[in-house]
Amino acid sequence: MTTIRRRALLAAGAILPLPALGQPAWPARPIRLVVPFAPGGTTDIVARILSQHLTERLGQAVVVENRPGAGATLAATQVAQAAPDGHTLMISNSASQGISPSLFRNLRYDSMADFTHVALAATTSTAIVVNPRHEAQTLPDLIRIGRARPDGLDFAISGHGTTTHLLGMRIALATGTRWNPIPYRGAGPALADVVAGNVGLMVDGLPSSIGFIRDGSLRALAVADASRNRHLPNVPTLAEGGVPNMISYSWFGVSGPRGLPAPVVERLNAEIRAVLALPAVRQRYLDLTADAPDLTPAQYAAFIEEELRVWAEVVRATGITADQ
């Protein structure tokens, strides 16, 4: 076909424009969406909401792949080393991108330089929960019990270096108690053990724990919000329970390896924001107590940079290291 003939057809709308030169059509095959924690936790829930709707919108399967381990850094390392073709993505989060750079001395990735950050997908509140048979009925009870136990209180954590792990250690430091982290490969397994009574205490994101709180399988002692959470209006804040200046939340986004093509980033960001605006997803987020942000790729990258600064201060204050 001659150039003149092709231009005429394009002008007439007879054929569709091809991708930019050097840019193959995307997606050309199924997309891996890597989750750095086990199934059942908040990160996994967010991933599966996105995968369902992105599959419909992109015309290729978006397959969730759970790769737990090393405080979310195992999955992040693998994604950082993947081909930047848009077919390997991850649920970037406060642990993998915000905390780990301060926690791990020999981290094999730079959370900014080695990734293309696409979109912020969810932010969630945090609760301090206990098994309903636990002797602590309130947060002041838990603090009193902890101070009376020199060997400390065991608490389940969804992974070393997660926001919930650090929040628990911050509470212990602020209250003069000792909390012993019991690590799991995600919030799902950790919650299962707390519900079963094998571990009495946990700090967890509301999306994964709210169902257990509502059906009485867990008792919420406090939320880490600035004011009472609208989904748990009868549960006091940490400040009301005697632990002021302790606001914490978790966040989850989508990122890929460094060098993702700009057209892929732009389309993926637009599709994710469109998914988050769907009435069904808004209702699902409401049920999960999650909020749906609306950020451009540049705004998400700036958001992560600020989180890096904040969590570096928290790691210094708590003295947590990757070896604990």
Side-chain angles (χ1 to χ4, degrees), residues 283-316:
Q283 182 59 52
R284 180 75 170 123
Y285 268 42
L286 184 64
D287 295 341
L288 292 170
T289 73
D291 289 317
D294 185 39
L295 302 186
T296 66
Q299 289 171 330
Y300 182 38
F303 172 89
I304 294 176
E305 284 192 303
E306 175 62 13
E307 286 290 291
L308 283 166
R309 184 193 65 77
V310 169
W311 286 111
E313 295 177 0
V314 173
V315 169
R316 283 195 295 270

Side-chain angles (χ1 to χ4, degrees), residues 131-276:
N131 181 281
R133 296 186 295 277
H134 197 285
E135 57 187 306
Q137 298 292 314
T138 64
L139 184 60
D141 285 347
L142 187 71
I143 295 170
R144 174 181 51 78
I145 293 165
R147 288 173 176 167
R149 293 183 182 173
D151 56 343
L153 300 168
D154 290 346
F155 83 109
I157 61 173
S158 59
H160 186 78
T162 57
T163 54
T164 50
H165 175 198
L166 265 66
L167 178 58
M169 300 305 285
R170 289 176 69 195
I171 294 171
L173 185 66
T175 57
T177 57
R178 177 179 174 181
W179 288 25
N180 306 313
I182 310 298
Y184 291 81
R185 294 173 71 87
L191 283 166
D193 257 14
V194 178
V195 170
N198 298 322
V199 181
L201 168 67
M202 185 174 177
V203 180
D204 189 46
L206 278 186
S208 49
S209 60
I210 189 72
F212 296 109
I213 296 170
R214 286 170 172 162
D215 71 13
S217 299
L218 292 174
R219 179 188 303 128
L221 302 183
V223 291
D225 292 331
S227 58
R228 292 205 178 193
N229 190 284
R230 59 178 173 165
H231 300 282
L232 297 172
N234 296 323
V235 177
T237 64
L238 281 170
E240 289 177 300
V243 188
N245 304 315
M246 202 74 69
I247 298 168
S248 181
Y249 62 94
S250 297
W251 50 268
F252 313 88
V254 175
S255 300
R258 176 181 58 191
L260 283 185
V264 172
V265 176
E266 291 166 6
R267 183 180 177 196
L268 190 55
N269 177 270
E271 296 290 6
I272 290 170
R273 293 164 77 179
V275 167
L276 298 179

Side-chain angles (χ1 to χ4, degrees), residues 64-83:
V64 173
E65 181 179 309
N66 296 88
R67 301 285 292 178
T73 65
L74 176 63
T77 300
Q78 292 176 343
V79 172
Q81 297 171 350

